[in-house]
Amino acid sequence: MTEASLERLGLPQIDVQQFHVWNDSWVGQGDWQDAVAQLKRDGKIRHFGISINDHQPENAVKAVEAGAVETVQVIYNVFDQSPQDRLLDACQANGVGVIVRVALDEGSLTGNITPETTFPEGDWRNRYFGGNRKVELQPRLRAIEADLGIETGQLAETSLRFVLSHPAVSTVIVGMRSLRNVERNVAMGDGQGLPAEQVQKLHAHRWDRNWYQPAE
């Protein structure tokens, strides 16, 4: 699999290889860690990490604390702050890099999703924002705006900077569907997070739910 990836990429080495669909019970089981070590000795990969299953940040703490991985990829945003419970501290304590995905909650934290928003047929967002979810979202967004004194147009930047404000976070994977998105997101690479007061206020906007499950 690694050889096939190298061939498709046209590279002699992969900087970070990530294993997806992780289960912490695999630490110390089987020969996968030997295989990773061999790939490093062969110079085919530099670092190895895992991509944590949706909304399961606890399901990687063992791997992090055991020194089995060098990076973790995890869902983390203003609404899903569960990685703060244990995972981010464990990563920081063990020198493990954190790659955040879904920092804008699949688009809800851009402020562009309204009750009237429609998606093309076959677009997976019809499922994510199914049922009454687009309506449920609105008061949550208005509450963030009121609490921080920001406009809807500032939600995306504020949400990205919230994630980047945590010292354990190394980088963020963020979707970019337009030139405006690219310009905005590149500007986030200035190393400036949010003021501590705003970060603290956003902690109160945690919203524990799993919209990858079908709407009732």
Side-chain angles (χ1 to χ4, degrees):
M1 182 174 66
T2 302
E3 287 78 5
S5 294
L6 287 168
E7 184 176 350
R8 287 192 294 268
L9 291 167
L11 295 172
Q13 186 181 63
I14 294 172
D15 287 334
V16 180
Q17 184 178 64
Q18 297 180 87
F19 186 90
H20 293 256
V21 192
W22 175 253
N23 190 310
D24 239 7
S25 66
W26 296 337
V27 175
Q29 302 295 318
D31 60 359
W32 66 270
Q33 288 177 271
D34 292 335
V36 169
Q38 187 62 54
L39 287 170
K40 289 181 179 181
R41 286 193 295 270
D42 292 344
K44 294 178 180 179
I45 67 172
R46 291 184 62 199
H47 304 287
F48 177 79
I50 54 179
S51 180
I52 303 170
N53 306 337
D54 297 339
H55 306 299
Q56 294 183 21
E58 300 282 322
N59 188 25
V61 173
K62 183 178 178 181
V64 168
E65 293 180 342
V69 297
E70 294 160 284
T71 68
V72 296
Q73 183 192 130
V74 65
I75 292 175
Y76 177 46
N77 56 58
V78 171
F79 290 146
D80 186 353
Q81 300 181 32
S82 56
Q84 293 175 175
D85 296 342
R86 289 187 63 199
L87 179 67
L88 296 184
D89 286 345
C91 287
Q92 195 170 5
N94 291 276
V96 172
V98 176
I99 302 170
V100 170
R101 72 176 187 272
V102 198
L104 295 175
D105 188 41
E106 305 294 5
S108 72
L109 285 163
T110 65
N112 294 329
I113 308 296
T114 71
E116 292 73 38
T117 298
T118 58
F119 303 105
E121 184 177 351
D123 192 311
W124 67 272
R125 289 174 295 176
N126 283 308
R127 183 175 68 253
Y128 191 80
F129 293 104
N132 201 43
R133 289 172 177 174
K134 285 179 285 187
V135 174
E136 291 177 43
L137 173 64
Q138 304 313 309
R140 299 278 182 168
L141 298 180
R142 302 295 84 78
I144 292 172
E145 294 165 5
D147 208 5
L148 272 66
I150 62 174
E151 302 293 331
T152 299
Q154 296 173 280
L155 276 170
E157 178 176 346
T158 299
S159 299
L160 287 174
R161 289 194 184 278
F162 168 79
V163 169
L164 290 166
S165 293
H166 198 290
V169 173
S170 309
T171 191
V172 177
I173 299 171
V174 59
M176 293 178 275
R177 294 173 178 267
S178 68
L179 178 59
R180 178 175 175 273
N181 291 157
V182 174
E183 293 172 342
R184 179 199 66 202
N185 295 341
V186 167
M188 297 300 100
D190 59 8
Q192 301 297 313
L194 288 178
E197 179 184 3
Q198 289 192 337
V199 171
Q200 193 60 41
K201 286 183 177 180
L202 286 171
H203 286 163
H205 294 275
R206 178 169 172 164
W207 186 12
D208 292 324
R209 84 281 196 265
N210 186 355
W211 280 5
Y212 293 108
Q213 298 295 328
E216 295 182 358

